[in-house]
Amino acid sequence: FEEMSTPQMAFYRCFSMMTGKPIYDELYKADQFMGPLFYFVYYIFFYLIMVNMFVSILLNAYDLVDFELMNKRGTGKDKEKNIIMKITEEFRQDVLGRFWRCFGA
């Protein structure tokens, strides 16, 4: 399977699989056992798990920001920040903070 012979092309083909361009037939022609195995494991892992985790993180951050903005409106304290800026700040503090604590950087 020449299109996946280099790491760069393999990454490109895997990314194109995520965007809706399946390559099941080519993988099956390349190897009748490992091709379908790779195809289904890849889709199950990346599409179902990773995309859902990403959406969950975004929705959690949105809920936190929405809650904080509703509280600020009620108290009339500081000038409210742009919602996009608030979401990015929450993302940095929550997700990236956990990453740096885990890996000790």
Side-chain angles (χ1 to χ4, degrees):
F1 190 48
E2 293 180 24
E3 292 182 5
M4 293 187 105
S5 60
T6 65
Q8 294 86 4
M9 286 304 296
F11 178 78
Y12 171 74
R13 292 300 286 176
C14 288
F15 183 76
S16 67
M17 284 173 60
M18 287 297 297
T19 58
K21 187 176 180 184
I23 57 171
Y24 179 79
D25 294 332
E26 292 91 351
L27 288 172
Y28 184 78
K29 287 177 189 175
D31 190 337
Q32 292 181 358
F33 177 73
M34 290 301 291
L37 180 68
F38 170 76
Y39 181 82
F40 290 113
V41 167
Y42 180 80
Y43 267 108
I44 289 170
F45 184 70
F46 281 99
Y47 189 72
L48 296 177
I49 296 172
M50 298 301 284
V51 171
N52 285 330
M53 286 176 51
F54 178 70
V55 169
S56 298
I57 290 169
L58 288 178
L59 290 175
N60 187 27
Y62 179 79
D63 287 340
L64 289 172
V65 170
D66 189 40
F67 179 75
E68 288 180 9
L69 288 176
M70 293 302 274
N71 285 343
K72 279 187 178 181
R73 284 184 190 146
T75 59
K77 288 187 178 177
D78 299 328
K79 183 179 177 183
E80 292 180 15
K81 293 182 178 180
N82 183 356
I83 189 141
I84 300 298
M85 294 298 293
K86 190 70 174 163
I87 289 173
T88 56
E89 286 177 18
E90 287 291 327
F91 178 78
R92 281 189 210 132
Q93 291 173 359
D94 187 40
V95 176
L96 296 178
R98 289 182 189 173
F99 175 79
W100 291 120
R101 281 192 301 261
C102 288
F103 295 105

